[in-house]
Amino acid sequence: MSSPRSRPSESVWHYPRPPAIQEDDRRVTVECSGERVADTVRAVRVLETSHPPVFYIPAADVRTDLLQAASGRTLCEWKGTAVYWDLCLADEVRARAVWSYPQPRVPYGVLAGRFAFYPSRVDSCTVAGEAVRAQEGDFYGGWITGEVRGPFKGGQGTRFW
Protein backbone atom coordinates (compact mmCIF):
# COMPACT_ATOMS: atom_id res chain seq x y z
CA MET A 1 0.00 0.00 0.00
CA SER A 2 1.15 3.49 -0.69
CA SER A 3 1.15 6.36 1.77
CA PRO A 4 -0.32 9.76 0.88
CA ARG A 5 3.18 11.24 0.75
CA SER A 6 4.34 8.74 -1.87
CA ARG A 7 1.35 9.33 -4.14
CA PRO A 8 1.44 12.03 -6.78
CA SER A 9 -0.45 15.24 -6.17
CA GLU A 10 -3.89 15.37 -7.79
CA SER A 11 -5.74 18.48 -8.90
CA VAL A 12 -9.51 18.11 -8.67
CA TRP A 13 -9.61 20.15 -11.88
CA HIS A 14 -8.07 17.18 -13.70
CA TYR A 15 -10.79 14.80 -12.46
CA PRO A 16 -13.34 13.93 -15.16
CA ARG A 17 -16.95 14.88 -15.65
CA PRO A 18 -18.95 12.66 -15.57
CA PRO A 19 -17.19 11.22 -12.52
CA ALA A 20 -14.80 8.28 -12.60
CA ILE A 21 -14.56 5.43 -10.11
CA GLN A 22 -11.18 4.23 -8.90
CA GLU A 23 -10.40 1.30 -6.60
CA ASP A 24 -8.29 2.27 -3.58
CA ASP A 25 -6.48 -0.33 -1.46
CA ARG A 26 -5.30 2.07 1.25
CA ARG A 27 -6.75 1.60 4.73
CA VAL A 28 -9.77 3.86 5.19
CA THR A 29 -11.34 4.33 8.63
CA VAL A 30 -14.24 6.26 10.12
CA GLU A 31 -14.68 6.84 13.86
CA CYS A 32 -17.45 8.47 15.84
CA SER A 33 -18.06 8.73 19.59
CA GLY A 34 -15.28 6.28 20.35
CA GLU A 35 -16.60 3.66 17.90
CA ARG A 36 -14.83 2.48 14.78
CA VAL A 37 -17.78 2.55 12.40
CA ALA A 38 -15.92 1.66 9.20
CA ASP A 39 -12.56 0.07 8.41
CA THR A 40 -11.58 -1.17 4.96
CA VAL A 41 -8.85 -1.69 2.39
CA ARG A 42 -11.53 -2.18 -0.30
CA ALA A 43 -12.85 1.34 -0.83
CA VAL A 44 -13.57 2.96 -4.15
CA ARG A 45 -13.14 6.67 -4.80
CA VAL A 46 -15.45 8.74 -6.93
CA LEU A 47 -13.47 11.45 -8.72
CA GLU A 48 -15.41 14.39 -10.13
CA THR A 49 -14.24 17.73 -11.50
CA SER A 50 -13.92 20.39 -8.77
CA HIS A 51 -14.66 17.97 -5.89
CA PRO A 52 -12.35 16.18 -3.46
CA PRO A 53 -12.76 12.39 -3.77
CA VAL A 54 -15.59 10.62 -1.98
CA PHE A 55 -14.70 7.22 -0.54
CA TYR A 56 -17.37 4.48 -0.71
CA ILE A 57 -16.89 1.61 1.74
CA PRO A 58 -18.35 -1.91 1.31
CA ALA A 59 -21.23 -2.71 3.69
CA ALA A 60 -19.25 -5.68 5.05
CA ASP A 61 -16.67 -3.20 6.38
CA VAL A 62 -19.21 -0.80 7.95
CA ARG A 63 -20.99 -1.14 11.30
CA THR A 64 -24.38 -1.21 9.58
CA ASP A 65 -25.98 -2.06 12.93
CA LEU A 66 -25.37 1.61 13.80
CA LEU A 67 -27.21 2.92 10.72
CA GLN A 68 -30.87 3.87 10.61
CA ALA A 69 -32.64 5.01 7.45
CA ALA A 70 -33.13 8.78 7.41
CA SER A 71 -35.70 10.84 5.57
CA GLY A 72 -35.07 12.44 2.22
CA ARG A 73 -33.37 11.54 -1.03
CA THR A 74 -31.29 13.40 -3.56
CA LEU A 75 -30.71 12.81 -7.24
CA CYS A 76 -27.30 12.79 -8.89
CA GLU A 77 -27.53 13.16 -12.65
CA TRP A 78 -24.93 10.40 -13.07
CA LYS A 79 -25.11 8.07 -10.07
CA GLY A 80 -28.88 8.11 -9.51
CA THR A 81 -30.89 8.40 -6.29
CA ALA A 82 -29.03 8.67 -2.99
CA VAL A 83 -30.59 7.64 0.31
CA TYR A 84 -29.39 8.86 3.69
CA TRP A 85 -28.62 7.19 6.99
CA ASP A 86 -28.41 8.43 10.56
CA LEU A 87 -25.47 7.15 12.56
CA CYS A 88 -26.98 5.99 15.87
CA LEU A 89 -24.51 5.69 18.72
CA ALA A 90 -25.01 4.97 22.42
CA ASP A 91 -25.77 8.54 23.48
CA GLU A 92 -26.27 10.45 20.26
CA VAL A 93 -27.48 10.43 16.69
CA ARG A 94 -25.45 11.98 13.88
CA ALA A 95 -28.21 12.91 11.45
CA ARG A 96 -27.68 12.03 7.79
CA ALA A 97 -23.98 11.35 8.35
CA VAL A 98 -23.98 8.58 5.75
CA TRP A 99 -25.40 8.06 2.27
CA SER A 100 -25.60 5.32 -0.32
CA TYR A 101 -26.88 4.52 -3.80
CA PRO A 102 -28.93 1.31 -3.48
CA GLN A 103 -29.61 1.16 -7.24
CA PRO A 104 -26.99 3.29 -8.97
CA ARG A 105 -27.15 4.00 -12.67
CA VAL A 106 -24.83 2.35 -15.16
CA PRO A 107 -21.77 2.57 -15.07
CA TYR A 108 -21.76 3.26 -11.29
CA GLY A 109 -23.04 -0.18 -10.27
CA VAL A 110 -20.01 -0.78 -8.05
CA LEU A 111 -21.49 1.76 -5.60
CA ALA A 112 -24.39 -0.57 -4.75
CA GLY A 113 -23.82 -2.08 -1.32
CA ARG A 114 -21.38 0.68 -0.29
CA PHE A 115 -21.66 3.61 2.08
CA ALA A 116 -20.11 7.09 2.04
CA PHE A 117 -19.56 9.22 5.15
CA TYR A 118 -19.57 13.00 5.55
CA PRO A 119 -16.25 13.76 7.28
CA SER A 120 -17.87 16.85 8.83
CA ARG A 121 -20.52 14.74 10.59
CA VAL A 122 -18.24 12.15 12.22
CA ASP A 123 -15.27 12.57 14.54
CA SER A 124 -12.52 11.18 12.33
CA CYS A 125 -11.90 9.83 8.85
CA THR A 126 -8.47 8.61 7.78
CA VAL A 127 -6.84 7.42 4.58
CA ALA A 128 -3.62 5.43 5.11
CA GLY A 129 -3.40 6.94 8.59
CA GLU A 130 -3.76 10.53 7.39
CA ALA A 131 -6.57 12.58 8.93
CA VAL A 132 -9.09 13.78 6.36
CA ARG A 133 -10.33 17.35 6.16
CA ALA A 134 -13.97 17.84 5.24
CA GLN A 135 -15.03 19.59 2.06
CA GLU A 136 -16.65 22.95 2.81
CA GLY A 137 -20.41 23.27 2.63
CA ASP A 138 -23.17 21.01 3.76
CA PHE A 139 -24.04 19.17 0.55
CA TYR A 140 -20.89 17.53 -0.80
CA GLY A 141 -18.99 14.98 1.26
CA GLY A 142 -15.49 15.11 -0.22
CA TRP A 143 -12.44 13.85 1.65
CA ILE A 144 -9.44 16.19 1.46
CA THR A 145 -6.02 14.60 1.98
CA GLY A 146 -2.53 15.97 1.40
CA GLU A 147 -2.38 14.63 -2.15
CA VAL A 148 -5.52 16.50 -3.31
CA ARG A 149 -5.34 20.11 -4.53
CA GLY A 150 -8.21 22.56 -5.08
CA PRO A 151 -9.79 24.99 -5.14
CA PHE A 152 -12.82 22.87 -4.24
CA LYS A 153 -16.49 23.38 -4.98
CA GLY A 154 -18.71 23.64 -1.90
CA GLY A 155 -17.61 26.79 -0.12
CA GLN A 156 -19.26 30.19 -0.33
CA GLY A 157 -19.36 31.58 -3.84
CA THR A 158 -18.84 28.23 -5.60
CA ARG A 159 -22.46 27.24 -6.18
CA PHE A 160 -22.44 27.80 -9.96
CA TRP A 161 -18.97 26.43 -10.73
Side-chain angles (χ1 to χ4, degrees), residues 56-106:
Y56 286 81
I57 301 170
D61 298 337
V62 173
R63 291 277 313 274
T64 57
D65 60 306
L66 300 176
L67 302 181
Q68 181 177 342
S71 64
R73 297 176 183 279
T74 56
L75 179 64
C76 171
E77 62 189 300
W78 293 294
K79 297 180 291 286
T81 301
V83 298
Y84 293 85
W85 304 87
D86 293 338
L87 186 54
C88 301
L89 303 142
D91 296 330
E92 67 178 311
V93 173
R94 302 285 178 102
R96 293 172 57 113
V98 184
W99 77 94
S100 64
Y101 289 93
Q103 298 177 335
R105 294 180 178 160
V106 174

Side-chain angles (χ1 to χ4, degrees), residues 9-118:
S9 181
E10 300 175 351
S11 168
V12 298
W13 294 96
H14 294 145
Y15 292 163
R17 191 169 176 96
I21 295 178
Q22 182 181 77
E23 292 182 359
D24 197 304
D25 66 355
R26 293 174 292 175
R27 187 172 187 199
V28 172
T29 66
V30 179
E31 294 187 6
C32 197
S33 293
E35 295 277 346
R36 171 87 31 112
V37 297
D39 191 340
T40 194
V41 292
R42 302 180 301 146
V44 296
R45 299 188 311 156
V46 172
L47 309 175
E48 180 176 351
T49 304
S50 79
H51 298 274
V54 173
F55 285 76
Y56 286 81
I57 301 170
D61 298 337
V62 173
R63 291 277 313 274
T64 57
D65 60 306
L66 300 176
L67 302 181
Q68 181 177 342
S71 64
R73 297 176 183 279
T74 56
L75 179 64
C76 171
E77 62 189 300
W78 293 294
K79 297 180 291 286
T81 301
V83 298
Y84 293 85
W85 304 87
D86 293 338
L87 186 54
C88 301
L89 303 142
D91 296 330
E92 67 178 311
V93 173
R94 302 285 178 102
R96 293 172 57 113
V98 184
W99 77 94
S100 64
Y101 289 93
Q103 298 177 335
R105 294 180 178 160
V106 174
Y108 300 96
V110 70
L111 299 180
R114 293 176 181 268
F115 294 92
F117 291 79
Y118 282 99

